[in-house]
């Protein structure tokens, strides 16, 4: 197992860890997350909160974390919850709870809704 990996490709925190276990440590580093962190597993909202915190911590280290808005994020903010893991759906309060969580009224929703869909680096998109 790669102990440097925070979560697996199914959106679950690695066994025995919590989002609070991880903090940004690197100086002068750029990390780009290419969206689609939602729908994969039971911890997708906790992972978004982790990314939000790491994003803020990165800025204190002259680093950047870019989280691109992917199609899974689009589906969720549009209330299309077909691909949402059942445990995540329950943990987020069902349809009405998840809609509120992903609205501009909640920090998670505000963060997601203000993510870019494209990122340019050194002339490349």
């Amino acid at each position: 197992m790669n102990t440097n990996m925070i979560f697996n490709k199914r959106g679950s925190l690695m066994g025995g860890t919590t989002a609070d276990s991880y903090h940004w440590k690197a100086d002068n580093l750029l990390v780009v997350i290419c969206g689609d962190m939602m729908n994969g597993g039971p911890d997708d909202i906790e992972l978004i909160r982790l990314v939000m915190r790491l994003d803020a911590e990165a800025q204190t280290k002259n680093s950047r974390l870019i989280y691109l808005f992917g199609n899974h994020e689009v589906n969720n903010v549009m209330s299309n919850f077909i691909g949402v893991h059942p445990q995540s759906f329950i943990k987020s309060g069902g349809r009405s709870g998840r809609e509120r969580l992903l609205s501009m009224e909640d920090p998670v929703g505000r963060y997601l809704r203000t993510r870019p869909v494209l990122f340019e680096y050194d002339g490349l998109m």
Side-chain angles (χ1 to χ4, degrees), residues 40-121:
D43 299 322
D44 61 349
I45 299 299
E46 188 175 357
L47 291 170
I48 300 298
R49 288 187 177 118
L50 169 62
V51 167
M52 291 170 60
R53 184 171 46 77
L54 291 175
D55 188 350
E57 290 177 7
Q59 294 173 38
T60 69
K61 299 280 193 171
N62 197 33
S63 294
R64 289 182 68 195
L65 187 152
I66 307 293
Y67 175 22
L68 297 176
F69 198 67
N71 65 308
H72 292 260
E73 288 78 10
V74 169
N75 286 340
N76 272 266
V77 300
M78 299 295 292
S79 298
N80 177 354
F81 304 133
I82 291 172
V84 174
H85 191 282
Q87 286 179 313
S88 179
F89 195 70
I90 291 166
K91 287 194 287 189
S92 58
R95 173 171 283 284
S96 62
R98 197 164 180 99
E99 285 176 342
R100 186 200 56 74
L101 183 69
L102 299 175
S103 75
M104 288 298 282
E105 297 173 19
D106 190 275
V108 170
R110 277 193 304 277
Y111 183 79
L112 286 172
R113 290 169 180 264
T114 57
R115 298 304 89 206
V117 294
L118 294 172
F119 174 67
E120 180 183 350
Y121 180 75

